[in-house]
Amino acid sequence: MLLAELTLQHPILLKTLGRVPDIEVVWQETHRHEDRPTQMLCWIRADDFDAVASAMADDPSVRDSTVVAALDGRRLFRVDFTDRTATIDVVPQLVAVGAVVDEAVGTAEGWWLRIQFPDRDAVESVYEFCRDHDIPVTVERLYEQTDWEMQHAPALTDSQRELLCQALASGYLEIPRRCSLAELAAELGISESAASERFRRGVRGLLEQTLGT
């Protein structure tokens, strides 16, 4: 089993991700229909959902969008793809090669995905699909996982560890905080949305490993 962490500049919601400050889109699932548009379910977290609605209305990848639920400051959206978007959706390609999406998160930095691949041929097939459809892709990490490694693999990437260590040193985790998220991001030379994304993924990874979930 190969575990890959990729960043894609995929057209899906790309305009929305670029227009709405500090937006985070967490993919849940994609449904393909013969007689209806392909639909994606995703949780969206943002400070301004009016801005999200406005951006989606102008997003060339979106035919229509509907809020299905709201919970803890985030909203579950059902997004209908345009025909063009459906043809370049990478999810069917992943399914075709036997890959499993562990996590897919969209921010201003693009789409970050953690995917389990059965072998390197599967990775190359998806990489070629992205290249053939002019979708910029960056392989952040690619490594093999044995059964033992899957149980004992490090919970943090290097960038997540760096951010959490800096958060601890700067007083971001103290009450009251001595450092804001914007200041923490500036210290690391990254955007505030990227800092927020790394912080949440890092904490989640630590909790999953510690609690065994």
Side-chain angles (χ1 to χ4, degrees):
M1 180 65 69
L2 288 175
L3 188 63
E5 295 178 7
L6 313 174
T7 298
L8 305 181
Q9 299 303 317
H10 199 286
I12 291 177
L13 294 183
L14 191 61
K15 187 172 183 179
T16 299
L17 294 173
R19 281 183 53 181
V20 181
D22 298 326
I23 188 174
E24 182 183 75
V25 180
V26 180
W27 173 85
Q28 295 295 297
E29 54 190 38
T30 299
H31 298 283
R32 298 177 68 86
H33 308 282
E34 292 184 1
D35 56 348
R36 288 183 292 155
T38 297
Q39 295 177 323
M40 176 178 72
L41 286 175
C42 58
W43 283 101
I44 295 182
R45 190 186 302 274
D47 294 330
D48 186 351
F49 281 102
D50 288 338
V52 173
S54 177
M56 279 198 181
D58 295 334
D59 197 311
S61 68
V62 178
R63 182 194 298 265
D64 192 19
S65 63
T66 305
V67 177
V68 179
L71 178 67
D72 297 334
R74 56 190 181 133
R75 297 181 184 180
L76 181 64
F77 278 77
R78 182 176 63 239
V79 179
D80 293 0
F81 292 162
T82 61
D83 292 340
R84 165 61 179 162
T85 305
T87 62
I88 60 174
D89 181 15
V90 73
V91 172
Q93 305 304 316
L94 294 170
V95 173
V97 299
V100 177
V101 180
D102 286 341
E103 190 174 2
V105 180
T107 67
E109 308 296 321
W111 282 96
W112 178 89
L113 297 91
R114 183 170 59 202
I115 307 168
Q116 296 181 44
F117 286 96
D119 50 43
R120 290 185 179 273
D121 287 342
V123 178
E124 292 177 3
S125 177
V126 172
Y127 187 89
E128 289 175 3
F129 174 85
C130 293
R131 183 191 60 190
D132 293 343
H133 291 84
D134 298 321
I135 302 170
V137 54
T138 301
V139 179
E140 307 288 353
R141 297 179 69 194
L142 179 63
Y143 54 94
E144 295 184 1
Q145 277 196 316
T146 64
D147 290 341
W148 187 92
E149 289 170 332
M150 291 180 72
Q151 296 176 18
H152 300 85
L156 300 176
T157 65
D158 292 341
S159 61
Q160 290 165 5
R161 180 182 297 277
E162 178 188 30
L163 185 138
L164 290 180
C165 288
Q166 188 63 37
L168 184 61
S170 300
Y172 180 73
L173 300 176
E174 294 184 10
I175 301 175
R177 285 176 174 166
R178 294 191 290 105
C179 173
S180 69
L181 182 61
E183 291 169 334
L184 179 61
E187 290 176 3
L188 296 173
I190 59 178
S191 69
E192 187 172 349
S193 62
S196 175
E197 174 189 351
R198 289 182 194 177
F199 184 84
R200 279 197 286 267
R201 285 210 305 261
V203 171
R204 176 179 174 180
L206 287 175
L207 289 174
E208 288 176 344
Q209 187 180 65
T210 302
L211 300 177
T213 58

